[in-house]
Structures are given as C-alpha cells and as structure tokens.
Amino acid sequence: MTKTALVVGASGIAGSNLAIELLDKGWDVYGLARTPQTDLPGLRPIAADLLDPASLQAALSDVAPTNVFITAWLRQDTEAENIRVNAGMVRNVLAALSPKKSVRHVALVTGLKHYLGPFEAYAKAGTLPETPLREEQPRLPIENFYYAQEDEVYAAAARDGFNWSVHRPHTLIGKAVGNAMNMGTTLAVYASICKETGRKFQWPGSQAQWQGISDVTDARQLARQLVWAADTESAYDTAFNIVNGDVFRWQWLWGRLANWFGVEAAGFDGTIRPLEAAIAGDADLWREMAQRHGLAEPDLGRLASAWHTDLDLGRPIEVMTDMARSRKLGFAGYQSTEESFYDLFEQLRSERLIP
C-alpha cells in the first residue's frame, strides 16, 4: 500500500531532515509550512497558516495522508500562550484531516522539556528530574505546551482511530535557517565570528554542563526513528526518547569544535558567560562578513538562536537520555555526535551560510 506522509513543519530542522529520509524510503511526501521549502526534489510543498483552520482546510483539500508527522512549533512570550498556540496548531491540522479518515498514524516531535520543564521554569530547583531521563518518568506538576500537544494527539486518536507515537529528542543538531532552536548553527556562527575577530571560543555555560555527561540528537537520527516507529506496529501508542546513542562531556568536545574552525578554545572559568550577550552587538559585523565572504544569509538572527543555546548549556545538572523503549523494540540507529557537528559545519560552509 502506498504510504503518503504529511510533514508538518517541513522547513525546520526536524521536518526537512525527515522529508529527506521519507523520500529516500520511497514515500509520497507533502511538506506543510507557512513558507515551505521548494528546493527538495520530490517534496510536494503546501503553504498554510497552522493557526487558521480555513487556510488548512483549503490547503489540505486534496491531500489524504496515511501518516502525519508533526514537527512544528511557535515560540511565544509566556507558557500560557505557548500552550494556546502550539496545542491549537496540532488540533487544527488533525481536525482538517479528520473527515478524510485516511490517517493511520500520527507522530509528534516534542523534546526534553517534557522532563526539564517549560521555558518559564526550565531546569529550575524543585523540578529537576533524576538522570538519565527515562521515558516512564511522569509529567511534571506544571503547565507545559508539550503536554498540551500530546493531549491533542490523544484526543484526535480517540476520535479518528489512528495510532500515534511521541518522540523526545535532546538538543537537535542539523541545518535550518530561521529556526528558533538551533545550537549547531549557533555555535558555527559564533566560532566564525571568533575567527573573524580573533576572540576566544569561550564556553558560555555552567560548570555542571561543562564537566557532566551529555548527549544530543542529530536530526537524521530523529528522522530514522520517526520512520521506524511509523513502520513498527509494536511501537504504536508509545512515547520514545531519541538521542545519538553516544555520550560526551563538553570539556572534551569544545576544543574539538574550536579546532575545526581554527580558533582558540576557552573553557569554564568559574563564571557563566551567556552567548546571547557575547554576540549581542555582532549583527552589523555578521552583515559585513556576509558581504565580504559572499554568504547567503546576512541576518545573524536567522542563523543564531543564542538564547536557546544558553538555556541548554547553562543547566545546573548534567543531562543524558535513556533510549530503552525503542532499543528493546529493535531500533538500532546510531550517530557519532562529533561527526554530527562536523557534518553540519561542512554543510553550512558548502551552502555559504558560514565562511
């Protein structure tokens, strides 16, 4: 039977890499976004506003997917607004598809804020979980837009009779422009600025993160698990953590990243030095660098999300993730984290996003 995927948020880190994986596997793939990418061969772009039910109804009128992959979210000023907006997007998409009765499986991508708390209470004392983070850990007793998104999927599944899976990556490493959470590209931009100006590549985060064990999620590894779960009956109606499968300490990796760019690394020196402050005045510098080096994106804000990188690297505990559920069910994906960063840096350079 032909498998037809609707990738919601197809222009983001998770969605764009997922679309590539699905196309490689022979799926028929639609990519839904406010401004969908049009340069991926085989992808059928659909433009719609996820907050506008009428826009979605019109855009999806001739689309009857068997599988829906929801990778989109919009950052808001408060968690109450995050809940209203992001739960609403999930609800609107699934409601637009409901009359067709074509959907057999819905996959929702969330993340480790499921365990660490929402932005307003992220990794704060009183809510810190035990690590490694395990899939069976209960929800925190606090409002969280990830929980609201899950609840919308559960409600639609009960209404329409489809199966579901939830996927919780750690920090996503992959290429995207205009993405709100993008550590890999942020560090690449920061290192490029350091090389241009002669600054040191200064560790911006906490001692706990610098010395502790960590892991991350390559967007390609997430894509592999998403496709695996869609094709694996024993994985239905289950939530999964997803990381690369290796662990590292930033005090080991930081110098290696610096070496790739040919800059001098500086580690934790007793003070948290937020990256957002470090590059706050560099917008004009980046524009000049873009002109001088012929870069494709002169807007620093569309490449770097320093606020999110600071959030992750400033956490007061080490954070690593257990993948027991999918491993027990046969998911064997693995990705070297060091190579994740290098592959991304090579891609950014080849596409003229960094010098």
Side-chain angles (χ1 to χ4, degrees), residues 17-132:
N17 281 275
L18 172 60
I20 292 170
E21 179 74 10
L22 289 165
L23 289 167
D24 286 347
K25 297 292 186 184
W27 288 55
D28 191 11
V29 185
Y30 291 86
L32 173 63
R34 185 187 295 270
T35 307
Q37 64 182 110
T38 57
D39 58 350
L40 181 58
L43 180 67
R44 303 183 183 191
I46 301 175
D49 182 351
L50 299 180
L51 294 173
D52 183 347
S55 170
L56 281 168
Q57 291 281 356
L60 297 174
S61 60
D62 296 325
V63 181
T66 58
N67 295 72
V68 180
F69 300 88
I70 302 174
T71 70
W73 76 287
L74 287 172
R75 185 190 179 197
Q76 305 299 307
D77 290 337
T78 67
E79 192 59 20
E81 278 298 290
N82 275 323
I83 290 169
R84 184 186 68 80
V85 168
N86 291 287
M89 292 195 302
V90 174
R91 182 170 60 252
N92 291 343
V93 168
L94 298 181
L97 296 171
S98 181
K100 303 174 188 296
K101 304 304 178 187
S102 66
V103 177
R104 301 200 301 266
H105 186 82
V106 172
L108 172 68
V109 176
T110 61
L112 294 197
K113 285 186 289 299
H114 183 93
Y115 310 104
L116 294 166
F119 295 120
E120 293 176 357
Y122 186 73
K124 296 291 193 298
T127 62
L128 296 177
E130 291 185 357
T131 58

Side-chain angles (χ1 to χ4, degrees), residues 21-342:
E21 179 74 10
L22 289 165
L23 289 167
D24 286 347
K25 297 292 186 184
W27 288 55
D28 191 11
V29 185
Y30 291 86
L32 173 63
R34 185 187 295 270
T35 307
Q37 64 182 110
T38 57
D39 58 350
L40 181 58
L43 180 67
R44 303 183 183 191
I46 301 175
D49 182 351
L50 299 180
L51 294 173
D52 183 347
S55 170
L56 281 168
Q57 291 281 356
L60 297 174
S61 60
D62 296 325
V63 181
T66 58
N67 295 72
V68 180
F69 300 88
I70 302 174
T71 70
W73 76 287
L74 287 172
R75 185 190 179 197
Q76 305 299 307
D77 290 337
T78 67
E79 192 59 20
E81 278 298 290
N82 275 323
I83 290 169
R84 184 186 68 80
V85 168
N86 291 287
M89 292 195 302
V90 174
R91 182 170 60 252
N92 291 343
V93 168
L94 298 181
L97 296 171
S98 181
K100 303 174 188 296
K101 304 304 178 187
S102 66
V103 177
R104 301 200 301 266
H105 186 82
V106 172
L108 172 68
V109 176
T110 61
L112 294 197
K113 285 186 289 299
H114 183 93
Y115 310 104
L116 294 166
F119 295 120
E120 293 176 357
Y122 186 73
K124 296 291 193 298
T127 62
L128 296 177
E130 291 185 357
T131 58
L133 301 173
R134 302 182 185 278
E135 288 124 332
E136 67 269 18
Q137 288 174 225
R139 291 181 175 183
L140 298 171
I142 187 172
E143 294 294 310
N144 189 320
F145 82 85
Y146 283 170
Y147 305 160
Q149 287 183 309
E150 287 183 350
D151 289 343
E152 292 294 343
V153 171
Y154 303 155
R159 178 190 67 210
D160 296 333
F162 57 73
N163 299 297
W164 54 265
S165 59
V166 174
H167 303 261
R168 300 168 183 158
H170 195 167
T171 301
L172 271 179
I173 305 301
K175 178 240 171 182
V177 176
N179 195 274
M181 298 191 295
N182 196 340
M183 177 190 284
T185 301
T186 298
L187 294 181
V189 166
Y190 176 46
S192 299
I193 289 172
C194 289
K195 186 167 186 177
E196 189 81 9
T197 61
R199 302 179 203 168
K200 292 182 179 179
F201 188 56
Q202 175 68 56
W203 169 255
S206 68
Q207 182 176 7
Q209 282 290 297
W210 176 249
Q211 295 178 339
I213 295 174
S214 190
D215 51 27
V216 297
T217 308
D218 191 302
R220 298 168 297 185
Q221 172 80 331
L222 170 61
R224 289 190 285 266
Q225 193 194 60
L226 283 161
V227 176
W228 165 83
D231 284 336
T232 304
E233 187 173 347
S234 59
Y236 292 169
D237 302 337
T238 308
F240 299 104
N241 291 335
I242 175 63
V243 285
N244 282 350
D246 62 2
V247 294
F248 65 93
R249 300 182 197 275
W250 280 106
Q251 64 184 6
W252 170 84
L253 183 60
W254 194 249
R256 285 166 166 77
L257 302 186
N259 288 341
W260 196 93
F261 286 93
V263 296
E264 182 182 353
F268 182 74
D269 61 2
T271 302
I272 294 178
R273 302 181 181 279
L275 187 56
E276 190 169 24
I279 65 171
D282 289 333
D284 290 341
L285 170 64
W286 186 261
R287 197 170 297 278
E288 293 167 6
M289 289 173 61
Q291 183 174 13
R292 184 159 53 253
H293 297 288
L295 303 183
E297 180 52 71
D299 185 348
L300 180 64
R302 284 182 49 77
L303 293 174
S305 54
W307 71 274
H308 179 259
T309 298
D310 287 337
L311 200 67
D312 274 7
L313 299 185
R315 292 176 295 203
I317 56 171
E318 64 178 11
V319 177
M320 79 292 294
T321 313
D322 182 79
M323 284 179 59
R325 281 186 180 171
S326 59
R327 294 301 193 208
K328 288 178 180 178
L329 294 176
F331 177 71
Y334 171 83
Q335 170 67 46
S336 160
T337 290
E338 189 173 7
E339 291 176 6
S340 289
F341 279 99
Y342 298 161

